[in-house]
């Protein structure tokens, strides 16, 4: 830190509307070319962003898990046909046309990854976090799954096997964590609140303690 | 193809570092890249595997030093030029020129919710019975194709068990390169950790891949 730092915070030239970083400029140029040539509708671009910013995200998956915890018949349907069961709640479509639910059990914990790219169950979890798409996770999850969980501060009980699902096709996986102790009698809404995104990837575990204070 | 995208089992990248309270996007340009990727894909000129191949055939050093949206952007440039929608000069200058290709369709704003909700299912009607059944022991083939494939290197030549029969799904290896669409039976094949990684592997671990029928032989 230099003693002159207080001068530098006025140096905002790069924030002016007509000054873009190289990648911002590239994307703007690409967008206007595509729009001017009539290949893409600007309203479609806005609608796509709006969908993934406001409508499709991990709260959808949390509803699926909470319902599976509350309704054994639903859990069974989810096991048999994940795509149809998530569609019952209104979810499905792009990036999740074929959904498989991977139920954690005391004997086996599930972890999802895409070693070849970034496949992720969009309709139920939204867009993937950066770490999910990045080399450290994609490289390590399949060869050292327990070490990968340790990076998230998660240690499985001794004797619990670990199963990794590499998403090499258009099948998309969602982990159904085990319902935590101490949640007896909770409503589906209350349960959904403790279902984290990470627990549906398999790098986290939901906890009743983490819930409402 | 054997390139930098095929990351399973690689070492030296360090630990996974999750970002606390990660935003959905880190910059506005990322939103645009996501949206352009979806909208341009809807023109119907390339398949999902076609654009995957454009990403994975970036030079390895570029692939590994780019963020995922940067990879998407570079691949979009490639497919848009490769399919004749834009020219290199247009991309460089940002000024529309004469490059022109008629898209099969243009996704309209009002169609977006229904199109995203419907998605693009990849299951097709089977024309032959499945070769393998649940519980069958299978071995993945060894191949090192120059073209796109979804059989990762770490799972080639390995013995596993058929655990699920997913259905008959669009075959990526040829479709990525513009060949007419074909479909094959798709299976979940599960391997033990030691089968994939040798004697030091965690014996209480297993890994599955989704494998098309032509990736498999009876074990």
């Amino acid at each position: 830190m230099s003693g002159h730092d207080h001068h530098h915070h006025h140096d905002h030239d790069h924030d002016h509307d007509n000054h873009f970083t190289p990648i911002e400029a590239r994307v703007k140029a690409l967008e206007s070319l595509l729009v001017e040539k009539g290949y893409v509708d600007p309203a479609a671009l806005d609608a796509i962003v709006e969908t993934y910013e406001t409508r499709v995200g991990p709260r959808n998956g949390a509803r699926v898990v909470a319902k599976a915890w509350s309704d054994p018949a639903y859990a069974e349907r989810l096991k048999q046909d994940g795509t149809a069961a998530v569609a019952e709640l209104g979810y499905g479509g792009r990036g999740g046309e074929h959904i498989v639910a991977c139920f954690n059990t005391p004997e086996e914990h599930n972890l999802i990854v895409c070693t070849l790219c970034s496949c992720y169950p969009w309709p139920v979890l939204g867009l993937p976090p950066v770490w999910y798409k990045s080399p450290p996770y994609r490289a390590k999850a399949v060869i050292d799954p327990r070490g990968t969980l340790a990076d998230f501060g998660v240690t499985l009980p001794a004797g619990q096997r670990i199963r990794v699902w590499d998403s090499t096709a258009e099948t998309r996986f969602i982990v159904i964590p085990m319902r935590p102790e101490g949640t007896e009698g909770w409503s589906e809404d209350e349960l959904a609140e403790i279902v984290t995104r990470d627990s549906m990837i398999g790098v986290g575990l939901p906890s009743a303690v983490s819930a409402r204070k | 193809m054997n390139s930098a995208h095929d990351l399973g089992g690689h070492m030296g990248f360090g630990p996974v570092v999750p970002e606390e309270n990660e935003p959905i996007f880190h910059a506005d340009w990322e939103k645009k890249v996501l949206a352009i990727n979806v909208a341009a894909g809807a023109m119907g000129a390339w398949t999902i595997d076609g654009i995957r191949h454009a990403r994975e055939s970036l030079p390895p050093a570029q692939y590994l030093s780019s963020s995922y949206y940067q990879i998407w952007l570079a691949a979009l440039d490639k497919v848009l030029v490769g399919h004749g929608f834009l020219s290199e000069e247009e991309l460089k200058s940002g000024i529309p020129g004469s490059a022109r290709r008629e898209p099969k369709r243009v996704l309209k704003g009002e169609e977006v919710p229904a199109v995203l909700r419907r998605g693009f299912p990849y299951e097709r009607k089977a024309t032959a019975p499945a070769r393998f059944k649940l519980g069958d022991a299978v071995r993945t083939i060894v191949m090192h194709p120059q073209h796109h494939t979804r059989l990762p290197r770490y799972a080639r030549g390995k013995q596993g068990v058929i655990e699920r029969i997913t259905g008959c799904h669009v075959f990526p290896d040829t479709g990525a390169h513009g060949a007419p669409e074909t479909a094959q039976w798709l299976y979940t094949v599960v391997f033990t950790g030691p089968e994939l990684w040798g004697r030091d592997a965690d014996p209480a671990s297993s890994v599955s891949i989704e494998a098309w029928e032509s990736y498999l032989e009876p074990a």
Side-chain angles (χ1 to χ4, degrees):
Chain A
M1 293 284 281
S2 98
H4 298 292
D5 267 5
H6 61 283
H7 292 308
H8 295 167
H9 70 272
H10 297 296
D11 184 17
H12 279 324
D13 279 356
H14 58 284
D15 284 336
H16 290 176
D17 285 348
N18 52 351
H19 286 72
F20 298 117
T21 64
I23 195 149
E24 285 168 347
R26 251 181 86 192
V27 174
K28 283 216 178 282
L30 178 62
E31 178 188 6
S32 50
L33 284 171
L34 295 173
V35 169
E36 283 191 50
K37 286 174 176 268
Y39 297 147
V40 307
D41 174 9
L45 300 182
D46 293 341
I48 292 161
V49 171
E50 205 229 328
T51 300
Y52 294 105
E53 278 193 317
T54 64
R55 274 200 285 280
V56 175
R59 300 334 300 157
N60 293 3
R63 304 296 319 178
V64 172
V65 172
K67 189 166 176 62
W69 284 348
S70 311
D71 177 348
Y74 181 76
E76 193 51 38
R77 294 199 296 282
L78 185 59
K79 241 175 236 169
Q80 297 307 319
D81 185 343
T83 315
V86 306
E88 288 181 35
L89 303 190
Y91 313 136
R94 194 179 195 282
E97 288 86 353
H98 309 280
I99 290 186
V100 174
C102 310
F103 283 72
N104 285 347
T105 65
E107 291 75 39
E108 191 161 71
H109 178 88
N110 295 286
L111 179 67
I112 62 176
V113 67
C114 174
T115 63
L116 296 175
C117 51
S118 61
C119 299
Y120 189 74
W122 286 20
V124 281
L125 295 191
L127 300 174
V130 166
W131 59 259
Y132 183 87
K133 304 182 278 189
S134 299
Y137 184 72
R138 289 163 54 191
K140 189 171 177 179
V142 283
I143 192 171
D144 182 14
R146 278 178 220 269
T148 304
L149 292 193
D151 291 343
F152 290 84
V154 172
T155 309
L156 300 179
Q160 192 182 24
R161 296 192 309 268
I162 185 162
R163 159 66 180 278
V164 185
W165 300 74
D166 191 355
S167 314
T168 58
E170 303 314 323
T171 330
R172 296 289 179 274
F173 306 101
I174 175 174
V175 175
I176 310 300
M178 286 185 288
R179 181 170 175 165
E181 305 272 329
T183 58
E184 296 75 16
W186 288 25
S187 70
E188 265 185 54
D189 287 347
E190 290 170 316
L191 290 169
E193 282 181 43
I194 62 164
V195 181
T196 60
R197 177 200 67 197
D198 285 1
S199 72
M200 296 179 279
I201 302 173
V203 297
L205 299 172
S207 140
V209 186
S210 76
R212 301 85 44 71
K213 33 282 135 188
Chain B
M1 64 183 296
N2 296 345
S3 197
H5 70 289
D6 187 355
L7 281 162
H10 278 247
M11 295 173 187
F13 292 114
V16 183
V17 184
E19 178 183 343
E20 195 112 11
N21 299 315
E22 183 176 338
I24 297 175
F25 297 100
H26 289 79
D28 282 347
W29 69 263
E30 293 188 343
K31 301 180 189 181
K32 289 293 183 190
V33 171
L34 170 89
I36 292 170
N37 188 68
V38 173
M43 293 194 294
W46 55 82
T47 65
I48 190 167
D49 287 290
I51 192 147
R52 280 192 186 122
H53 185 68
R55 294 171 193 150
E56 68 204 22
S57 55
L58 292 172
Q62 180 185 351
Y63 186 95
L64 291 174
S65 57
S66 300
S67 76
Y68 216 77
Y69 284 115
Q70 287 172 333
I71 293 172
W72 277 23
L73 178 61
L76 276 168
D77 286 353
K78 271 170 65 172
V79 294
L80 286 163
V81 171
H83 288 270
F85 290 101
L86 297 176
S87 69
E88 292 281 4
E89 295 66 41
E90 289 173 326
L91 280 180
K92 257 187 216 107
S93 66
I95 300 164
S98 59
R100 182 77 208 160
R101 171 158 173 189
E102 276 317 308
K104 283 186 200 153
R105 77 186 81 82
V106 173
L107 178 64
K108 294 290 172 206
E110 64 270 20
E111 299 169 332
V112 166
V115 167
L116 293 180
R117 177 60 188 81
R118 191 165 58 239
F120 303 90
Y122 296 89
E123 187 164 9
R124 300 291 180 266
K125 207 170 161 44
T127 54
R131 181 179 182 193
F132 302 107
K133 60 182 193 307
L134 296 182
D136 278 0
V138 291
R139 181 173 292 279
T140 51
I141 59 171
V142 175
M143 62 168 173
H144 294 280
Q146 299 279 333
H147 58 69
H148 179 69
T149 183
R150 297 293 288 178
L151 179 59
R153 262 176 295 178
Y154 76 83
R156 295 178 190 165
K158 304 294 183 187
Q159 185 171 328
V161 173
I162 303 279
E163 190 193 60
R164 281 182 77 248
I165 303 178
T166 301
C168 196
H169 276 228
V170 174
F171 184 56
D173 299 34
T174 46
H177 302 279
E181 181 182 291
T182 58
Q184 291 185 12
W185 285 97
L186 179 68
Y187 305 88
T188 303
V189 180
V190 61
F191 309 91
T192 67
E195 170 69 11
L196 295 176
W197 310 109
R199 59 188 171 188
D200 294 331
D202 179 350
S205 71
S206 58
V207 178
S208 62
I209 63 166
E210 303 298 293
W212 278 266
E213 195 162 85
S214 62
Y215 296 172
L216 301 173
E217 289 167 347

